[in-house]
Amino acid sequence: MKQKEIELLKLLEKNGRIDNDTISKMLDLEVAQVEEMIERLEKEHVIIGYSTLVDWSNVYDDEGVAALIDVKVTPVRGLGFDKIASRIYRFPEVKAVYLMSGSYDLSVSVEGKTMMEVSRFVSEKLSTLDTVLSTTTHFILKKYKHDGIIFDDGDDKDKRIMVSP
């Protein structure tokens, strides 16, 4: 891959809304070249989508619950972990699935409206799959940083109330 394509990908990864005119100036290319590169990278599935990172804790009526689930599985002969990962990522609750090294085989990111909804997903859907041996669920209490974006407001002051005897 050419250096300009890598630079383009880094720009888009950081800000998917950056316009082609700005990109062309930053990369010292013509706008038509930028458009052609983006179109080709999309066709080749190097760029597979564009998304918006939302801090749901600022949307008080729709905060929801997120969890990371460590999953130990028995791989399928000839298919390894791919078949079970495919079955898991098809559930609508699942936001991401990763093959991991270490004690567990897969890491599954799940979102739901309540803790009970997530726990029902684990007990009724995930744990009941034939190749799943065990799960460990970690509920996310607070996001500090995600995809390189810091969620904290940067105010380092101690917000606890002073209590004196």
Side-chain angles (χ1 to χ4, degrees):
M1 187 166 281
K2 298 175 186 170
Q3 184 62 34
K4 292 287 185 183
E5 291 173 332
I6 292 170
E7 291 176 34
L8 169 69
L9 291 171
K10 287 181 180 181
L11 289 172
L12 288 173
E13 186 176 46
K14 191 168 188 171
N15 179 3
R17 294 186 63 175
I18 191 169
D19 62 274
N20 292 348
D21 191 46
T22 303
I23 294 171
S24 72
K25 290 174 185 165
M26 294 174 82
L27 297 181
D28 193 28
L29 296 170
E30 297 294 323
V31 175
Q33 289 175 292
V34 170
E35 291 170 350
E36 181 183 301
M37 261 198 295
I38 291 172
E39 186 177 327
R40 187 173 39 72
L41 292 168
E42 288 173 343
K43 283 181 182 174
E44 294 174 357
H45 298 283
V46 174
I47 298 174
I48 55 175
Y50 300 89
S51 64
T52 301
L53 185 58
V54 177
D55 185 353
W56 288 106
S57 66
N58 290 328
V59 183
Y60 301 113
D61 294 339
D62 195 10
E63 210 167 329
V65 176
L68 298 174
I69 305 166
D70 297 327
V71 184
K72 184 98 174 134
V73 300
T74 303
V76 177
R77 183 177 296 253
L79 299 172
F81 297 99
D82 295 346
K83 184 173 182 180
I84 186 65
S86 174
R87 286 188 68 192
I88 292 170
Y89 69 59
R90 293 182 194 286
F91 289 113
E93 300 89 344
V94 174
K95 300 302 171 199
V97 178
Y98 305 99
L99 180 61
M100 305 296 289
S101 63
S103 301
Y104 289 88
D105 303 308
L106 299 172
S107 181
V108 179
S109 174
V110 175
E111 291 179 2
K113 291 182 181 174
T114 64
M115 288 179 78
M116 185 55 70
E117 186 178 310
V118 172
S119 64
R120 269 196 301 272
F121 165 77
V122 174
S123 63
E124 296 172 8
K125 294 180 181 178
L126 185 60
S127 295
T128 59
L129 296 174
D130 294 339
T131 57
V132 171
L133 301 174
S134 66
T135 64
T136 302
T137 303
H138 309 275
F139 285 97
I140 296 173
L141 303 178
K142 181 177 179 178
K143 283 185 186 177
Y144 293 100
K145 186 176 182 178
H146 183 84
D147 283 346
I149 306 295
I150 297 172
F151 278 64
D152 192 50
D153 62 0
D155 185 5
D156 291 335
K157 287 195 276 183
D158 190 347
K159 295 178 183 167
R160 295 177 289 180
I161 298 173
M162 179 74 78
V163 177
S164 57

